[in-house]
Amino acid sequence: MYATIFMGREVVAHQFIMQIRKNIFKLFIVCFSLFCLNIGIVFAVEEHSENAVTMEQDSVKLITGSINFDDISKKAKNHSYDIKLADFDIFITKQGIREARSEYFPKINAVATTEYTKNFNDIWNSSVTTVGDAFINPYTRFQSLFGITLSYNLFDFGIRRNNLDIAKEDTEIKKLALKLQFQELDMTLIDTYCKLLIAQKQIEINNEILKLAQENLEMKERLLEAKEISRTEVNEQRALVMNTQKSISELKAIVSESINWISFYTGENYDIDNIVVKEFKKPDFDPLEFSDYTKSIVWQIQEKEVKKKELTYRIAKKNYLPRVNAYGRYYIYGSDHSSYNDALKDISPSNYTVGGSVVLPVFDGLKTSAMVQKAAAELKKQLVERDKAIAELMNKISIMRGNLFYLEKQAQDSNLAYKELFEKEKSLEKLLDKKVISPIELNESKIETLKQKIEYEKNAITTVAIQKAIQTITSY
């Protein structure tokens, strides 16, 4: 009868082992198939990406016609590398929230081991001994172990909650950082577009100056041949022509550099010789309107950074408190003195364990104390950094407002001077008709008027640019 029972147990164990082997083989086939599918998808994506790049490179076209700041800003925000990186940062921090939430779920671990132990002092009558998750084998034999362990953190005085709050605050910071990236991108584009617009205006006006200067040079060369003027006057006029040509070349270099930067931000290519840069749209905005810095993005980011440091400080102090854990383990074990297959056939339920533990730190070499002091110092440092960031923001706005008032006054003065010179030019045209003055004098007056126009255009464009910059930096 015992033989029959033993034979029955052996058959059941054998069937159990065979079933495990079949399931493992099926699992291997599924994993291998998924791996191959994943590799195929990766290669397909890479091939598609390479093709996309090639097609993009093959279909490059130059943009002509007029461009304006609003369109460039919109395109730059869709193309900006920094904004794309900020989007990834948001996604990454969201995974941090998922990671923090995982601490609220129990942890389940599966273990499977198979080994051969050679003991130099075999104790044949000894039984298997376990210590925690470890099996101690006091004799020579083959053995295999399958087990499942479940553990759960019952209570930790809110450490999990604080870690989750930190992860959430980090995500909100990244979202605010994305808004800040939009602001910084617009600020950069305003500066670049302003330089481009001023340079293009100066080129247009300097081309008019060059034309007038060349006319005067031709007339003075004729007067020199007639010995009515000295060579010095001709040399001075030729120097004026050359300096104007040099200024135009330098301005074209500024235009080229500005266009290249705009192309970098928008991802588009522009035909420098066939584009017209439109004026800024003057914003309907009061530069003195902003006064509450607590509504700024910088303040919001700094406040959340402070909150993160406060939560870190709380966690550090809670490391002094105990933690309550629950656990359970279930093992299937088999062994044999001389045969690996017999060890597998011998596999049967071995034991299960349930229990709880309370871990109270008694002495950790003052590690927790150092962590608490470090977190406290970091919190105080963050408060100083917040005050510094806000002080820098308000100082920047104050400087921009001061520059704006100065440039508005300069623009008004240069506009009045331009109008006076324009009226003088009209008077000289009448005198030229009466042959009271020469064409050279009229051209010199026109050149003076155009130079004053350059100053006015520069001040007027910069004034609007600063207004837009203040509007951008104070938006929230």
Side-chain angles (χ1 to χ4, degrees), residues 132-133 149-154 325-329 353-358:
D133 293 340
T149 302
L150 182 145
S151 60
Y152 185 67
N153 182 357
L154 291 177
N325 300 313
Y327 61 89
R329 290 189 290 268
T353 303
V354 292
S357 64
V358 178

Side-chain angles (χ1 to χ4, degrees), residues 33-46:
S33 301
L34 291 174
F35 174 76
C36 293
L37 178 62
N38 184 53
I39 292 297
I41 292 172
V42 170
F43 284 141
V45 170
E46 289 181 352

Side-chain angles (χ1 to χ4, degrees), residues 52 101 115 136 142 195 201 212 277 290 337 368 381 401 418 431 463:
R101 280 182 178 152
E115 64 183 16
I136 300 175
F142 294 92
K195 289 179 181 177
K201 289 284 186 183
L212 295 170
V277 185
F290 178 82
H337 294 291
T368 302
K381 178 185 176 184
R401 284 170 174 167
Y418 168 71
L431 293 176
T463 297

Side-chain angles (χ1 to χ4, degrees), residues 198-214 240-256 272 454:
I198 290 173
Q200 190 179 64
K201 289 284 186 183
Q202 288 180 320
I203 289 173
E204 293 174 0
I205 297 172
N206 272 290
N207 281 328
E208 296 180 35
I209 292 174
L210 179 60
K211 183 180 178 181
L212 295 170
Q214 287 174 335
L240 175 61
V241 171
M242 294 175 65
N243 287 333
T244 305
Q245 290 173 335
K246 180 183 176 183
S247 296
I248 292 172
S249 297
E250 292 173 349
L251 290 167
K252 285 182 177 179
I254 294 173
V255 168
S256 178
I272 297 178
I454 288 176

